[in-house]
Amino acid sequence: MTDVGAAFMAAIGLIAGLDAPLIEIVALSLQISLSAVAIACILGLPLGAAVTLGRFRFRHSAIVTLNALMGLPPVVVGLFVYLMLSRAGPLGALGLLFTPPAMIIAQAILITPIIAALSRQIIEDAWIEYEEQLRSLGAPPRRAVWTLIWDTRFSLVTVVLAGFGRAAAEVGAVIIVGGNIDGVTRVMTTAIALETSKGDLPLALGLGIILMALVLAANAAAYTLKEAAQRRFG
Amino acid sequence: MHAAPSILPFVFDRVSYAVGATQILYDISFELAARTRTVILGPNGAGKSVTLRLCHGLLTPTGGTVRWAGAYGGDPARRQAMVFQRPVMLRRSALANVAYGLKLAGLDRAAREARARDMLERVGLAPLADRPARVLSGGEQQRLALARAWALRPEVLFLDEPTASLDPAASNAVEEIIKAIDASGTKIVMTTHNLGQAHRLADEILFLDRGRLVERASADRFFKVPATAEAAAFIKGELP
Amino acid sequence: MSLARRALLALLPFAALALAMPAAAEDKFIVVSSTTSTQDSGLFGHILPLFKAKTGIEVRVVAQGTGQALDTGRRGDADVVFVHDKVAEEKFVAEGFGIDRREVMYNDFVLIGPKFDTAKVMGSKDIAASLKKIADAKAPFASRGDKSGTHAAELRLWKIAGLDIATAKGPWYRETGQGMGPTLNIAAAMNAYLIADRGTWLSFKNRADLVVVVEGDQRLFNQYGVMLVNPAKHPHVKQERGMAFINWLTSPEGQRDIANYKINGEQLFFPNYRRAGS
């Protein structure tokens, strides 16, 4: 059997076995990435809207910067967070290094620019449509921001998914700040990296297949929901 | 209805407006008083919509001044509303669309809900109160936009070609609502390029052509004895 | 929006973090920075549950190269360091970053190479001569190049072979800059020779055409040492629990459990703790 075939068999075996450590790893991956997405949305959506509505001097630079930050290398983010959270770093006293919260922080930093930059484009399109109406109704800028975010919520689902996909798929940052500790900070991607380094390539790829299936399922669910909601709310 | 001091009269003083090198309005002056229904009439491209937006404060003139000369001491923006040619419906229920404006006006939840329901009743949308606004028909959406604006109890309501995208039946319903708003004491300022509609709704006509205020007259006079050749040509249907 | 609501929104991220905290809040654990060889070989998977069953202390292993693992200890991000580079370990202790270093166990390095053996070194008991032959033949050689214990050992062996690898290296000598596993993967793909620790080799699955070509030379000895990160430098170090782990590793019981770990009947690590003065 080919390696890829063996990988599929491994993936099927893992899923069929409903291995407890596997479930733990999947659950931790979801917990971390979803928390990171939540934080990134809380920060990124208003940021994206603020850049849209803002009439400040460095607006163009802000847009360019946001777009560029979408390509933040995970390993750089990981290093940065590592140095911040290390006992020898400024936030060392928190004792967060090699814990799930450190991984959430790293992923949130990684995807906040993605959420902000992509939502800015969507919110900007909505603003073109809404601007006169909202100004006529006397909506102050901050209220307008929330209105735009709420009214583009179905399109923003796609943005959130993009953030989730990136968070769930990255390994460079979480392996540095999490340490890939068995049962504590081991997530799908770091487990894949570990199995690769052990030379168990079919198992590594099998885990990868499960990861992709999860992301695919999340996308399918969100897309279905979005379509249904859009039909319902126009 | 408006016991408080009025924001009217409104003064348009030697206003001009340009976008880049393109001059859109030339040196326009007029004054709007209470109680009359003013229709800004003219062919496409005359500058009607721009004039209305300057009145409402959505645009700032590049020359001249606009001012609310009444005794009202607060922010005049609070006492006016506008309905656009293509209504912008928020992605929420019809009721919530009306309530949204009321929330911005500072009403508490119970008061907004009560008034919003009342307004939907008045424009005949009560049965659709909980329907998402964006799935309503064009005519229903425009009635909802009218309800949203009317709910604010503005002293002046600006309407920009409110029936231009509607079929005759829907247009008719909108015109009836405009009359009701007028009857409730709100001053109507409306643009149209539709002669019949101007005839039905106007007390006075401001006739614009190619960025200039060509003629101002009572509706009766304007349609019977237009003072200018341009107005006469437009009435005869020679201008688009 | 009201000030209170804004403040609440600003706090939300931290609330989300707090939700994720319980995992970290449970305090009965220590962080051990160790090497990929001890983890990838499965040794920790074997001994840590035994230690936890006895003491209730959870050991969280961060597996890195020896150089990086010592660095993690130096920054105070681990309580215990468990690595295999005696020179670097003694320097670590001398600098005051670690205390109570103890030698726990050993295994050996092996020279791995393609079974068709381009440099004709198969079966030799002389690692120095074998490396010399590889260099002379310019046969592909994969080096960790990551300041790990294995990397340090490899550099030492080149020196013993009489080569200054810094000047002798050519396109045949490839530094992967990665851990033992990835380096084995790379070597398997290009049929290169490499120095590996036996533990990782035995548990490594993607061998392709690689086999052990040289083993059994005294100089391939691979000593593992454990030490506590100095609480005087890093007051938050969990001294009591860290020492409990170190004491257990060097206890007759811990030593026996290390010896009991086998892959396919083959023992991977040989306990050799001797009391002070060893």
Side-chain angles (χ1 to χ4, degrees), chain B residues 92-99 113 116-121 123-133 136 144:
Chain B
R92 53 191 84 192
S93 72
L95 187 72
N97 263 274
V98 180
E113 161 107 23
R117 287 209 182 277
D118 177 43
M119 296 319 299
L120 289 182
E121 190 76 49
V123 300
L125 290 178
L128 303 179
D130 297 322
R131 287 273 280 280
L136 300 178
L144 182 54

Side-chain angles (χ1 to χ4, degrees), chain A residues 39 42 82-83 86-88 96-99 101 104-105 142 146 179 181 184 186 194 196-201, chain C residues 1 9 12-13 16-17 20-21 24 39-40 58 60-62 72 75-77 181-182 185 203-206 236:
Chain A
I39 294 172
I42 291 166
Y82 179 91
L83 292 175
S86 168
R87 291 286 180 176
L96 288 179
L97 193 64
F98 303 144
T99 65
I104 294 174
I105 292 170
R142 198 171 294 122
W146 292 115
I181 298 169
V184 181
R186 183 162 302 162
L194 179 67
T196 306
S197 76
K198 284 172 155 176
D200 199 338
L201 305 189
Chain C
M1 184 168 29
L9 276 177
L12 262 173
L17 270 182
M21 286 293 258
Q39 163 139 319
D40 293 1
E58 178 192 351
R60 298 185 175 176
V61 177
V62 180
T72 300
R75 302 184 63 89
D77 293 324
N185 277 326
S203 57
F204 185 74
K205 299 206 167 106
N206 181 35
H236 59 267

Side-chain angles (χ1 to χ4, degrees), chain B residues 150-165:
Chain B
W150 194 6
L152 299 171
R153 297 185 180 160
E155 195 181 340
V156 180
L157 176 62
F158 297 103
L159 301 112
D160 187 18
E161 303 263 10
T163 62
S165 337

Side-chain angles (χ1 to χ4, degrees), chain B residues 186-197:
Chain B
T186 294
K187 174 174 175 64
I188 302 292
V189 182
M190 180 174 128
T191 64
T192 185
H193 66 279
N194 179 332
L195 267 178
Q197 187 167 62

Side-chain angles (χ1 to χ4, degrees), chain B:
Chain B
M1 180 165 173
H2 295 288
S6 174
I7 58 172
L8 291 165
F10 172 71
V11 181
F12 219 66
D13 186 11
R14 309 207 55 162
V15 168
S16 56
Y17 186 77
V19 176
T22 313
Q23 194 72 26
I24 295 172
L25 294 183
Y26 300 87
D27 195 25
I28 294 184
S29 297
F30 60 82
E31 214 178 289
L32 297 175
R35 310 245 27 103
T36 48
R37 288 186 290 204
T38 304
V39 169
I40 301 173
L41 187 67
N44 287 326
K48 305 186 295 291
S49 289
V50 168
T51 303
L52 210 61
R53 280 169 170 74
L54 287 163
C55 291
H56 190 41
L58 293 176
L59 296 175
T60 310
T62 49
T65 55
V66 298
R67 64 178 183 274
W68 295 92
Y72 181 70
D75 179 4
R78 289 281 199 174
R79 302 290 298 274
Q80 21 169 332
M82 181 154 170
V83 170
F84 298 86
Q85 180 177 341
R86 299 173 60 90
V88 178
M89 291 293 117
L90 302 178
R91 204 167 258 116
R92 53 191 84 192
S93 72
L95 187 72
N97 263 274
V98 180
Y100 179 86
L102 295 174
K103 182 171 186 185
L104 292 177
L107 271 69
D108 68 40
R109 184 180 290 270
R112 323 196 262 274
E113 161 107 23
R115 199 192 288 183
R117 287 209 182 277
D118 177 43
M119 296 319 299
L120 289 182
E121 190 76 49
R122 291 201 209 183
V123 300
L125 290 178
L128 303 179
D130 297 322
R131 287 273 280 280
R134 292 211 165 214
V135 302
L136 300 178
S137 73
E140 288 163 345
Q141 289 196 7
Q142 194 58 293
R143 274 147 66 196
L144 182 54
L146 283 161
R148 184 167 62 191
W150 194 6
L152 299 171
R153 297 185 180 160
E155 195 181 340
V156 180
L157 176 62
F158 297 103
L159 301 112
D160 187 18
E161 303 263 10
T163 62
S165 337
L166 303 181
D167 62 42
S171 297
N172 209 22
V174 165
E175 285 186 16
E176 289 310 311
I177 295 167
I178 293 172
K179 283 179 191 159
I181 296 174
D182 171 62
S184 74
T186 294
K187 174 174 175 64
I188 302 292
V189 182
M190 180 174 128
T191 64
T192 185
H193 66 279
N194 179 332
L195 267 178
Q197 187 167 62
H199 213 80
R200 288 189 293 277
L201 293 176
D203 293 326
E204 66 169 345
I205 300 283
L206 294 180
F207 180 70
L208 259 56
D209 188 26
R210 281 169 286 178
R212 291 192 164 79
L213 177 60
V214 176
E215 185 169 343
R216 177 178 190 172
S218 73
D220 277 352
R221 255 189 74 108
F222 181 82
F223 288 111
K224 278 189 195 128
V225 276
T228 57
E230 290 92 336
F234 183 71
I235 292 167
K236 272 198 249 158
E238 287 170 8
L239 289 176

Side-chain angles (χ1 to χ4, degrees), chain C residues 100-117:
Chain C
D100 207 353
R101 174 178 179 273
R102 300 185 196 176
E103 304 198 332
V104 177
M105 61 190 191
Y106 70 92
N107 67 355
D108 61 343
F109 294 112
V110 286
L111 181 66
I112 308 287
K115 59 182 170 216
F116 43 84
D117 192 26

